[in-house]
Amino acid sequence: MNWIIDTDAGVDDAIGIVMPFVPGRYDDFKLLALTTVAGNVPLEKVNTNVGAILDLLGLPIPFFAGCDRPLIEPYVDAADFHGQDGLGDGGLSHTLRAPQAEHGAQALVR
């Protein structure tokens, strides 16, 4: 089964991204790409978290940055719950990966 995950990469999403890769759990799962949006933390931190999660998994999967704020409502983060880095301030938020140049919305349409 082919998947694209759209995420704001807080603690909860990080667990959800990693779970399908438990050996023998979802053998037909294929992650094609991830798209990111601001949510639990600002978009720049979300992108760092997604890169760090992909590094942890050792997967060469592309990711695409989307919107840095909601389209209608004011942006409010959840750093008080997810930590300033979005991953519980556990020191996991570092990577050399960067999102692809294409906008996340355009990548989803493609």
Side-chain angles (χ1 to χ4, degrees), residues 11 81-91:
V11 175
F81 182 81
H82 290 274
Q84 293 302 307
D85 67 356
L87 293 179
D89 296 324

Side-chain angles (χ1 to χ4, degrees), residues 23-108:
R25 185 87 166 138
Y26 303 98
D27 294 330
D28 63 345
F29 178 84
K30 182 177 180 185
L31 184 57
L32 301 176
L34 294 102
T35 58
T36 62
V37 294
N40 292 319
V41 290
L43 184 60
E44 182 178 313
K45 291 181 181 181
V46 172
N47 291 335
T48 298
N49 292 348
V50 167
I53 294 164
L54 293 172
D55 288 346
L56 176 71
L57 292 170
L59 298 173
I61 296 170
F63 67 100
F64 302 84
C67 293
D68 63 354
R69 63 192 178 284
L71 298 176
I72 298 171
E73 298 294 323
Y75 173 68
V76 178
D77 70 33
D80 57 327
F81 182 81
H82 290 274
Q84 293 302 307
D85 67 356
L87 293 179
D89 296 324
L92 299 173
S93 294
H94 51 82
T95 185
L96 296 177
R97 294 187 196 214
Q100 303 294 306
E102 185 177 18
H103 190 278
Q106 292 170 317
L108 283 170

